[in-house]
Amino acid sequence: MDFGDVAEILIIAVLLYYALVWMKTTRAWVLLKGLVVILIFLLLAYFFRMTTILWMAQNVLGFAVTALIVVLQPELRKALEELGKKNIISSVLPFDNNHRVDEGFSEKTINEITKACVEMGKVKTGALIVIEQKVSLRDYERTGIDVDGIVTSQLLINIFEHNTPLHDGAVIVQGNRVASATCYLPLSDNLGLSKELGTRHRAGVGISEVTDSLTVIVSEETGKISVAYEGKLERNLDAETLRDRMHKILNNTGEEHKNLRIWKGRSREKK
């Protein structure tokens, strides 16, 4: 094995690594897990010599690749755009001090969101707050207006106040900051949802079906608070239940970011 072979193996390994990292934050990760299940099924079919299934799989493969490209077209375009904008050297060197690490959710942020939802519920102000986790919501951010402000109850109340420019649509929260407002979300087509629910609730459930985000909804008709997560809707939550629900879902993400900041702090102390 010469130097060229070693270099080729390293390049392929790096490309595969970054491809998996990119897929981890997109819908492609879910599709990849589905493809792994199909691959295991085909291996079992090959092992037991199920010729009809193998023949069908062989003839469908060409169409499947094309369909996969069509389904992932938004993610592929976004990846190419980011590749063109990215500083290759800084992205390869993970210890760059100028590289910003998004903060996790603090106790204050959870309390501010809870306080805002309770206050808006009292006066029946409709609200739709989407909290980003591992899967990026950048495609949905682009449909709204950039805010980039620290999460406070007053900011959220002002955004959703009636007859204000930003009240229509969803707010997207990243870490401890409000990233965007007036964002458009996909509507759920789940027939199991109550017919009483309007567009706001269906949008909250819809975004939770395609991402791992947590969505908090305040009804404009009743003032009641609901939470959508993993395609399921919990309704009629009080302040304490809402706070506990956010703690339970967001706790792991917050701990991961906290450990990362501690590690980075120790690294600077050693220097």
Side-chain angles (χ1 to χ4, degrees), residues 46 75 79 93 98 102 114 117 123 130 163 165 186 216 226 246 259:
Y46 177 79
E75 283 80 7
L93 298 177
N98 295 324
D102 293 332
T114 301
C117 291
V123 295
V130 184
N163 302 321
V216 183
S226 303
M246 285 194 289
N259 293 335

Side-chain angles (χ1 to χ4, degrees), residues 134 251-261:
K134 294 180 181 180
N251 182 53
N252 291 335
T253 303
E255 287 297 323
E256 290 175 2
H257 285 289
K258 181 178 178 181
N259 293 335
L260 179 59
R261 291 198 299 273

Side-chain angles (χ1 to χ4, degrees), residues 3-15:
F3 176 77
D5 295 332
V6 175
E8 187 175 13
I9 293 173
L10 290 176
I11 291 172
I12 294 175
V14 171
L15 291 176

Side-chain angles (χ1 to χ4, degrees), residues 159-172:
I159 288 176
F160 289 110
E161 186 67 31
H162 293 290
N163 302 321
T164 58
L166 300 180
H167 86 282
D168 192 21
V171 158
I172 293 180

Side-chain angles (χ1 to χ4, degrees), residues 1 5 10-11 18 29 41 48 80 82 87 94 98 104 119 122 133 135 149 159 172 203 215 221 228 236 249:
M1 181 180 293
D5 295 332
L10 290 176
I11 291 172
Y18 278 103
W29 185 252
F41 175 76
F48 291 106
L80 291 175
E82 292 180 353
N87 186 329
N98 295 324
E119 293 299 322
K122 291 179 180 178
Q133 295 202 82
V135 177
I159 288 176
I172 293 180
T215 306
E221 288 74 25
N236 305 330
I249 296 174

Side-chain angles (χ1 to χ4, degrees), residues 40-195:
I40 293 175
F41 175 76
L42 292 177
L43 288 176
L44 291 175
Y46 177 79
F47 179 78
F48 291 106
R49 297 183 179 181
M50 300 177 181
T51 55
T52 304
I53 293 178
L54 294 175
W55 178 84
M56 293 174 59
Q58 185 177 3
N59 285 273
V60 171
L61 182 61
F63 299 101
V65 173
T66 303
L68 191 62
I69 294 175
V70 172
V71 171
L72 295 179
Q73 186 268 338
E75 283 80 7
L76 292 173
R77 184 180 65 180
K78 183 177 70 175
L80 291 175
E81 290 175 354
E82 292 180 353
L83 184 61
K85 298 176 182 178
K86 185 172 292 186
N87 186 329
I88 302 298
I89 297 178
S90 62
S91 64
V92 172
L93 298 177
F95 302 104
D96 183 6
N97 290 330
N98 295 324
H99 182 66
R100 182 177 66 87
V101 178
D102 293 332
E103 295 182 356
F105 291 90
S106 66
E107 182 73 20
K108 182 177 182 296
T109 298
I110 293 177
N111 290 334
E112 291 293 328
I113 293 175
T114 301
K115 180 180 178 182
C117 291
V118 171
E119 293 299 322
M120 288 187 288
K122 291 179 180 178
V123 295
K124 295 185 179 180
T125 297
L128 184 57
I129 304 171
V130 184
I131 304 174
E132 181 183 88
Q133 295 202 82
K134 294 180 181 180
V135 177
S136 174
L137 299 176
R138 190 168 303 173
D139 287 342
Y140 304 103
E141 286 180 51
R142 293 173 179 173
T143 65
I145 298 174
D146 292 338
V147 177
D148 193 24
I150 296 176
V151 175
T152 63
S153 59
Q154 194 58 54
L155 174 59
L156 294 173
I157 292 173
N158 288 341
I159 288 176
F160 289 110
E161 186 67 31
H162 293 290
N163 302 321
T164 58
L166 300 180
H167 86 282
D168 192 21
V171 158
I172 293 180
V173 175
Q174 295 175 335
N176 296 317
R177 305 188 72 83
V178 176
S180 300
T182 71
C183 300
Y184 292 100
L185 305 179
L187 299 181
S188 173
D189 56 1
N190 184 356
L191 298 178
L193 294 176
S194 173
K195 300 299 183 181

Side-chain angles (χ1 to χ4, degrees), residues 228-247:
Y229 183 65
E230 294 184 340
K232 299 178 181 179
L233 184 68
E234 298 181 44
R235 304 174 64 184
N236 305 330
L237 305 183
D238 56 20
E240 192 62 32
T241 306
L242 174 61
R243 188 180 292 108
D244 291 343
R245 194 72 179 108
M246 285 194 289
H247 267 298

